[in-house]
Amino acid sequence: GCSGFLGGSDAIVPGTAPGFQPFEFREGGELVGFDIDLTEAVFAETDYELAEWETFEFDSLIQALTNDRIDFIAAAMTINDDRDETIDFSDPYYSANQSVVVRDDGSFSPSELGDLSGHPIGAQSGTTGEGVIQTELIETGELEESNYNSYDNYVLAVEDLQNGNIDAVVIDEPVGETFASQRPVEVAFVYETGEQYGFGMRTEDDDLTTAVNEGLAAVRQGGTYGELTSEWFGN
Ligand code: ARG
């Protein structure tokens, strides 16, 4: 929320990009997932109120934050230098690598990135998965730029994979595994990137960042973090 001139109402507006199960997705119209529950648990440890969630495409979230349309990003967003120039991140709250997801009919079984050469592939716009395709395949000349398809969200990318319009999707491994448990697709291999997710906040909102980090530490120590990971990841 707008920093209340009249005092009182300064609820924080959280923003996310659904279609990224189990972190944020819709279930019967309701926004659910690990990031949603973790955000609520973290804020319950702070003096800040949490307003209703706003949703955007992933590649619009940082702009939504800097334009004050939201105050907080919880979107399985990887902490990286590029983003860190524009926004501040909380302490890391989850680790992930990339995975390469294919149809589970055995029609195409790549075992390393180079095997994607010559195949139409996809990722979500603005993600680190798209970054891997750019830097490891397109910039190295292994993949024609025209073979790369950028999607507004990963649900559309996986649908195009199922339809045979593309042959692989590069996606965060926990999400690739979740799609594999729900659809006729499978994780062909993992590409290690050692990413860490953080919550995003405006650089000037230091007090919020401090409170969120304290809240996150309390949620870890109090056992809620462990309960949420077993609920959403079964481990
Ligand atoms: N971790 C990846 C990144 O930061 C993908 C995040 C996509 N998140 C989402 N809610 N769609 O680029």
Side-chain angles (χ1 to χ4, degrees), residues 38 41-42 45 91-93 199 210-225:
L38 183 62
V42 166
E45 298 287 341
D91 293 334
Y93 68 84
F199 298 121
T210 303
V212 163
N213 284 336
E214 286 170 4
L216 185 58
V219 162
R220 283 186 189 276
Q221 274 149 26
T224 308
Y225 182 89

Side-chain angles (χ1 to χ4, degrees), residues 131-181:
V132 166
I133 294 171
Q134 290 289 354
T135 59
E136 306 303 318
L137 290 170
I138 296 175
E139 284 166 24
T140 59
E142 284 180 271
L143 191 84
E144 296 281 323
E145 185 137 30
S146 60
N147 268 332
Y148 173 57
N149 300 267
S150 180
Y151 295 89
D152 281 345
N153 62 67
Y154 272 118
V155 174
L156 296 173
V158 172
E159 279 167 6
D160 247 11
L161 174 65
Q162 290 180 236
N163 293 337
N165 291 329
I166 56 174
D167 289 337
V169 171
V170 180
I171 182 169
D172 297 39
E173 186 189 4
V175 184
E177 293 291 0
T178 305
F179 275 115
S181 72

